[in-house]
Amino acid sequence: MPRLSASERSVAEAVLADPRVVRESTITELAGTSASAASTVARFCQRLGFDGYRQFRAAVIAALGYDDARLGEFDLGEGEIDAGDAPEEIAAKIAFQHLALSRAALLDADSVLVGVSSRGETRETLDVLRAARRAGATTVSITNATSSSLDDVSDVVLRSAVRESRLRSGATASRIAQLAIVDVLFVLVLRLDFPQLSESLRVTYDAVRSRRGDH
C-alpha cells in the first residue's frame, strides 16, 4: 500500500467515513467533501491501482451493491478473486480489498486490527495486516493453523484447534470456533469501559431498530 500524502489521506478518510459519498458524487464534489482538489482525488484513485475516478467509482458502486446483497457478510477471505466470478463481483472484491488496505494504512499506534484466516495464508488478510503493522497498529490474528504466514505479520496469534470433516468444505467448524474467539474478545473489550460502550451498543441498536421485526 503506497504512502498517502496529507491531501490524499483526506480523500481516503472521506471515502472510508461513508463509501456512499463516492456513489453520489462527481470527482469535483468528492474533492469538495474532502477539502482537496479534483487532481488529488484522481491521484488517490491511481495510487489504489485504478485508471481514474470513473473506474474507482464504478468499483465502489459495485462493492456497495455486493455488500447489500450479502447483508454485510463480505469478508477478506471471501474477497479472493476466482476465475468463475462475474465481472461485477470481481470489481466489488477489488474495491473492497483496496478500501480495507486504505483503512489499515490510516491506523496508528493506538489502534488494533484483527485478521481472521482459517489456514493462515489468505493473501488479502496478510496484506491488510502488513499495512496495519507498517502504520504502527497492533495486529492480532485468529487462525486454525498451527503455523502459517500469519505468524510473521501478527503481534498476537490466537489459535483455534478444530479438526475439519473431509465431508464438509469451507472450514465450517473452524469458522464457528473463530467466531467464538471473536465473541470472547468482544466481551473483554466491553468490560474495559462498560458504561460508554454499552451506550454505543444502545445507539447502534436504535439506529437499525426500524429494520428489525421486534420494534
Side-chain angles (χ1 to χ4, degrees):
M1 179 69 187
R3 291 288 183 180
L4 300 177
S5 66
S7 55
E8 291 166 352
R9 185 178 290 264
S10 296
V11 178
E13 290 174 346
V15 172
L16 292 173
D18 184 4
R20 291 172 298 180
V21 72
V22 177
R23 178 175 60 192
E24 299 165 358
S25 302
T26 64
I27 188 171
T28 303
E29 291 169 340
L30 180 56
T33 300
S34 58
S36 62
S39 59
T40 302
V41 176
R43 190 165 58 250
F44 166 76
C45 296
Q46 291 166 358
R47 281 187 180 273
L48 294 182
F50 296 97
D51 292 336
Y53 181 69
R54 179 177 296 180
Q55 188 182 68
F56 172 71
R57 183 171 180 268
V60 171
I61 290 173
L64 290 171
Y66 190 81
D67 282 343
D68 291 342
R70 294 296 303 276
L71 298 178
E73 294 178 359
F74 187 78
D75 61 30
L76 286 169
E78 293 173 344
E80 293 179 337
I81 296 172
D82 184 84
D85 287 338
E88 63 271 16
E89 290 180 337
I90 293 175
K93 290 178 179 181
I94 291 174
F96 186 86
Q97 292 164 14
H98 288 173
L99 289 172
L101 284 167
S102 298
R103 183 180 292 275
L106 292 173
L107 299 178
D108 55 29
D110 294 326
S111 305
V112 177
L113 184 138
V114 180
V116 181
S117 174
S118 293
R119 292 178 291 107
E121 301 294 341
T122 304
R123 188 187 68 182
E124 290 76 13
T125 302
L126 294 170
D127 288 345
V128 171
L129 286 167
R130 287 192 190 97
R133 176 175 268 192
R134 284 197 299 269
T138 298
T139 54
V140 178
S141 62
I142 302 174
T143 181
N144 200 53
T146 56
S147 177
S148 70
S149 299
L150 278 178
D151 298 352
D152 299 326
V153 296
S154 304
D155 298 305
V156 178
V157 180
L158 303 176
R159 305 185 196 276
S160 56
V162 177
R163 179 176 296 179
E164 293 292 344
S165 169
R166 294 183 179 180
L167 302 178
R168 183 190 298 114
S169 62
T172 304
S174 296
R175 289 185 180 218
I176 293 173
Q178 290 152 10
L179 285 172
I181 294 174
V182 170
D183 193 51
V184 170
L185 291 176
F186 172 79
V187 173
L188 290 174
V189 171
L190 187 63
R191 290 180 62 184
L192 292 176
D193 190 354
F194 183 77
Q196 179 177 339
L197 293 177
S198 60
E199 175 63 14
S200 297
L201 286 174
R202 185 194 65 77
V203 171
T204 54
Y205 176 86
D206 289 343
V208 299
R209 190 175 183 183
S210 62
R211 306 282 177 155
R212 299 167 59 95
D214 58 354
H215 68 282

